[in-house]
Amino acid sequence: MLLEAMYHVPRDKWAYAYDTKTIHLRVRTKRDDVDCVTALTGDKYDWKHTFYEIMMEKAASDDKFDYWECAVRPKYKRLSYTFRVSKGPEDVYLLDNGIRSECPQPPNHFYEFPYIHQIDLFQVPKWAKDAVFYQIMTERFANGDPGNDPEGTEAWGGTPKLDNFFGGDLQGVLDHLDDLQELGINAVYFTPLFVSPSNHKYDIVDYKKVDPHFGDNELLKRVVEECHRRGIRVMLDAVFNHCSDKFPPFQDVLEKGEYSVYKDWFHMNSFPAEVVDGIPTYDTFGFFGNMPKFNTANHEVKTYLLEVAEYWIKEIKVDGWRLDVANEVDHHFWRDFRKVVKAANPDAYIVGEVWSDSLTWLLGDQFDSVMNYPFSGTVLEFFNGGMDGITFGHRIGSLLMRYPQQTNEVVFNLLGSHDTPRLLTVVGEDKRRLKLAVVFLFTFMGTPCIYYGDEIGLTGNEDPDCRKCMEWDEEKQDRELYDFYRMMIALRKENKALREGRFRILQACEHDPCIVYERADEIIHFTVWMNNSPVPRILSHPMETDDWQDALTGDPVAPEDGIMNISLDPYGYRILCRILEQPSI
């Protein structure tokens, strides 16, 4: 056994309280290096009567390591524990003071989880587990009120540019809520709605006022109320890293320089505030001089922005915030942000825009979730032929081991957004590949999000091409694709196992792009079969029972001599299920 590969620490994603009664433990070993791992658990004050051994499950693997996991329900909310790692006749013990070949008298040198405090629990909104989000760029969704169009508005459906307008507004959203409801989504994520000179609104001038080109605050309130009436949650976009150079306090800095009372609202490096050889004399988003960066450590700035966050939650009753460029704002600010937002609405969903490993923000004191771009990158690379099944399985396993389970259940999974090329374009306009990616999205752990128009076949390359106007003429929509999305949304919403059940790769091989995986809870067991190749395939896997059926048609599907053989078209999929227990009514 390679001892150097073994790892556990009694904190964050390795040992955490899942709920008021349950502690999750994880340990890492070298891949394919050990036979089993057993958690030895008990209460340090009464070890004799509370001692319990738990065989840990190999929850995931990557190219280097295996990850073992178990759930413990300590009788008195406190836990002492060690791990016995076994290979053949050899055992070693992972202890708080190192790895030993002999286990000391418990609980000496054991790890400890001192106590499950409810106040310390990382609790995420329960509704987010059940949510299917739909991302809307209001300017490009629907023009419901031509009377508020900005000057120079172009005809709907024209070529998107960095600085042109097509007149989309909140009335357009209100007019199409029936369409969203028919699709089956139950949550909407709006890109910024507040006063801004741009079409994307990520350079905000007034944080407490809806842009008049979209409507007004009262109209937004009507949209939220109508969404709530239909069972649709609403999440707004918060741009707290930076503002517009037209933002009044920054205008004061431009006018008065170092004598401005607002100079400490920003990161000023020298005066006057200007752009010299393409580099601003003040910190900005990127190097965009029109987006000066807030000094969120400044008390006045923090007070202003936290009042904004609280205002829209309390007054307009929105259900959450997506946080733009969240990783470039200080952690102290986000901790206070969470306190303010959760005080206003404990069920508010907080999603940070962080494009890489985000554990630092996901320990219960800052965000509930992040935009899971590592997920979308992995999924799109695989279904575009960029890796084999075993590599994909390893990368997905690694992603699952990044965060605690409660985060995995609500992490914001997407396959495209206003910042990326359109999904259909990414897969070379091959709908078969698109469908495989979407099936995976809706049968994987986390909260799925659809970018507006993907469901009817919009295409587009990088920004601004990915921000085309929504197509409302059904004759120009891909209705077969729409029906597919609607079917997958319904399947997920109707089956808790696809939202909260365990995930496990059942079959993935080197040099083979096909995979089989499962989702299961105590009620229903799903297996998903994917032929990610351009030729017909028959995938086979052992199945112990013969009570399987096609999850989409209800047709029975039986194994032969304990082996399930599934015939798949090129880039085809099939979803099977079996009922384990009838749910109680």
Side-chain angles (χ1 to χ4, degrees):
M1 289 185 283
L2 186 67
L3 303 186
E4 294 91 329
M6 297 179 186
Y7 185 76
H8 174 81
V9 288
R11 61 178 183 272
D12 53 68
K13 64 180 180 180
W14 299 96
Y16 60 90
Y18 178 70
D19 56 34
T20 56
K21 296 180 180 180
T22 310
I23 295 168
H24 285 188
L25 302 177
R26 290 175 178 169
V27 66
R28 187 191 76 189
T29 63
K30 180 185 176 183
R31 184 162 69 89
D32 299 330
D33 188 49
V34 307
D35 296 330
C36 62
V37 180
T38 307
L40 281 58
T41 71
D43 189 301
K44 68 178 181 180
Y45 297 116
D46 188 9
W47 186 265
K48 180 179 178 180
H49 296 100
T50 58
F51 169 67
Y52 194 73
E53 290 192 7
I54 303 174
M55 290 291 295
M56 303 185 76
E57 180 183 18
K58 187 188 292 187
S61 300
D62 60 26
D63 58 336
K64 296 182 178 66
F65 303 110
D66 290 327
Y67 299 89
W68 306 79
E69 190 172 60
C70 70
V72 189
R73 294 172 69 89
K75 186 175 182 179
Y76 301 108
K77 296 187 179 181
R78 53 183 178 255
L79 187 68
S80 292
Y81 63 96
T82 187
F83 303 103
R84 182 176 66 232
V85 183
S86 305
K87 183 176 184 179
E90 182 183 4
D91 292 334
V92 297
Y93 296 85
L94 272 67
L95 298 156
D96 195 40
N97 67 343
I99 301 174
R100 303 285 182 265
S101 59
E102 299 290 336
C103 185
Q105 184 68 26
N108 295 322
H109 305 303
F110 280 34
Y111 296 109
E112 284 197 25
F113 196 102
Y115 193 81
I116 301 176
H117 288 282
Q118 183 167 2
I119 196 172
D120 288 335
L121 279 178
F122 180 14
Q123 296 179 303
V124 298
K126 291 182 179 179
W127 65 265
K129 296 180 183 180
D130 302 327
V132 176
F133 269 90
Y134 189 86
Q135 181 188 354
I136 293 176
M137 285 199 76
T138 304
E139 215 284 320
R140 302 296 163 82
F141 189 66
N143 188 345
D145 181 7
N148 61 22
D149 288 359
E151 185 178 350
T153 293
E154 300 178 19
W156 193 259
T159 301
K161 301 175 183 176
L162 292 174
D163 57 357
N164 63 348
F165 293 84
F166 295 102
D169 50 34
L170 287 171
Q171 185 60 50
V173 174
L174 197 60
D175 293 343
H176 287 283
L177 289 183
D178 284 346
D179 297 287
L180 297 184
Q181 194 169 17
E182 180 183 358
L183 179 61
I185 62 94
N186 55 13
V188 170
Y189 152 42
F190 286 105
T191 53
L193 299 175
F194 312 128
V195 177
S196 160
S198 67
N199 56 31
H200 54 73
K201 310 301 179 190
Y202 281 96
D203 49 345
I204 296 173
V205 176
D206 188 339
Y207 282 79
K208 287 190 176 181
K209 184 179 179 182
V210 169
D211 193 295
H213 296 149
F214 289 164
D216 56 25
N217 292 18
E218 282 302 311
L219 181 55
L220 176 57
K221 190 171 186 177
R222 280 181 55 206
V223 170
V224 173
E225 289 173 348
E226 185 59 27
C227 282
H228 287 170
R229 190 181 70 80
R230 297 165 181 260
I232 299 173
R233 306 273 184 162
V234 178
M235 181 170 72
L236 301 187
D237 210 325
V239 189
F240 290 170
N241 174 69
H242 57 270
C243 60
S244 167
D245 59 354
K246 304 295 191 296
F247 184 59
F250 191 75
Q251 284 287 305
D252 194 80
V253 174
L254 288 176
E255 178 185 347
K256 300 175 182 175
E258 59 188 307
Y259 300 104
S260 170
V261 296
Y262 295 106
K263 69 180 187 299
D264 293 331
W265 278 46
F266 309 95
H267 298 272
M268 308 303 301
N269 299 316
S270 64
F271 294 97
E274 58 184 349
V275 178
V276 179
D277 296 329
I279 305 296
T281 61
Y282 47 93
D283 291 349
T284 59
F285 168 63
F287 294 103
F288 296 99
N290 66 324
M291 295 185 183
K293 182 178 177 65
F294 279 123
N295 175 14
T296 47
N298 177 279
H299 177 72
E300 292 178 350
V301 172
K302 178 181 284 190
T303 299
Y304 172 78
L305 294 178
L306 294 183
E307 285 178 355
V308 168
E310 182 181 55
Y311 170 80
W312 295 101
I313 293 282
K314 280 188 172 182
E315 298 300 320
I316 310 298
K317 308 300 182 185
V318 299
D319 301 289
W321 285 106
R322 180 265 189 185
L323 311 173
D324 189 57
V325 202
N327 57 332
E328 296 185 23
V329 176
D330 68 87
H331 292 283
H332 286 79
F333 177 85
W334 290 134
R335 292 187 182 101
D336 289 340
F337 174 88
R338 182 179 184 87
K339 291 175 183 177
V340 167
V341 168
K342 294 293 186 176
N345 178 5
D347 271 342
Y349 181 45
I350 302 173
V351 182
E353 183 199 16
V354 185
W355 287 61
S356 54
D357 190 321
S358 310
L359 183 63
T360 305
W361 292 271
L362 294 170
L363 295 175
D365 60 342
Q366 295 176 69
F367 309 158
D368 297 315
S369 175
V370 289
M371 300 185 78
N372 201 0
Y373 282 108
F375 164 85
S376 59
T378 299
V379 171
L380 294 176
E381 184 178 351
F382 175 60
F383 291 114
N384 263 329
M387 66 181 83
D388 59 20
I390 195 70
T391 303
F392 178 67
H394 287 162
R395 292 193 185 178
I396 288 295
S398 180
L399 289 177
L400 286 174
M401 290 297 106
R402 279 186 172 186
Y403 307 132
Q405 182 175 327
Q406 51 263 63
T407 296
N408 285 333
E409 290 172 347
V410 299
V411 69
F412 200 79
N413 291 335
L414 66 163
L415 296 176
S417 75
H418 62 289
D419 286 325
T420 67
R422 285 276 176 179
L423 175 57
L424 189 54
T425 298
V426 170
V427 297
E429 300 195 21
D430 187 334
K431 282 204 308 180
R432 301 170 302 174
R433 290 180 183 266
L434 178 148
K435 288 181 178 180
L436 287 181
V438 172
V439 168
F440 192 82
L441 171 70
F442 281 99
T443 58
F444 188 62
M445 295 184 72
T447 301
C449 180
I450 303 165
Y451 184 40
Y452 80 94
D454 279 355
E455 77 280 9
I456 49 93
L458 284 192
T459 58
N461 290 298
E462 298 280 356
D463 173 27
D465 197 39
C466 60
R467 302 177 180 184
K468 291 179 179 176
C469 295
M470 179 65 175
E471 179 57 70
W472 291 109
D473 183 350
E474 289 195 9
E475 294 297 321
K476 298 179 181 178
Q477 294 180 348
D478 187 330
R479 297 303 293 181
E480 188 273 336
L481 184 59
Y482 173 89
D483 289 339
F484 162 77
Y485 268 91
R486 191 178 176 199
M487 175 186 70
M488 290 308 304
I489 292 170
L491 184 70
R492 183 180 180 89
K493 288 170 65 178
E494 291 166 3
N495 293 281
K496 185 179 178 183
L498 295 179
R499 306 190 302 271
E500 298 184 33
R502 71 176 185 272
F503 171 91
R504 185 173 61 165
I505 298 283
L506 298 178
Q507 181 177 310
C509 301
E510 191 175 3
H511 308 305
D512 188 341
C514 301
I515 57 171
V516 183
Y517 59 94
E518 68 178 356
R519 294 295 306 277
D521 63 7
E522 68 282 358
I523 303 296
I524 192 167
H525 184 186
F526 285 90
T527 56
V528 184
W529 308 67
M530 290 189 166
N531 174 18
N532 185 32
S533 79
V535 297
R537 290 287 301 273
I538 296 177
L539 302 186
S540 302
H541 192 76
M543 291 293 193
E544 295 180 356
T545 64
D546 60 1
D547 54 350
W548 292 89
Q549 63 184 36
D550 188 298
L552 301 177
T553 67
D555 297 334
V557 185
E560 300 176 5
D561 299 324
I563 302 295
M564 185 73 78
N565 298 299
I566 300 298
S567 178
L568 296 172
D569 293 333
Y571 301 112
Y573 68 91
R574 198 157 185 198
I575 305 172
L576 306 184
C577 67
R578 56 185 289 259
I579 305 300
L580 304 177
E581 177 183 324
Q582 292 296 334
S584 58
I585 298 176

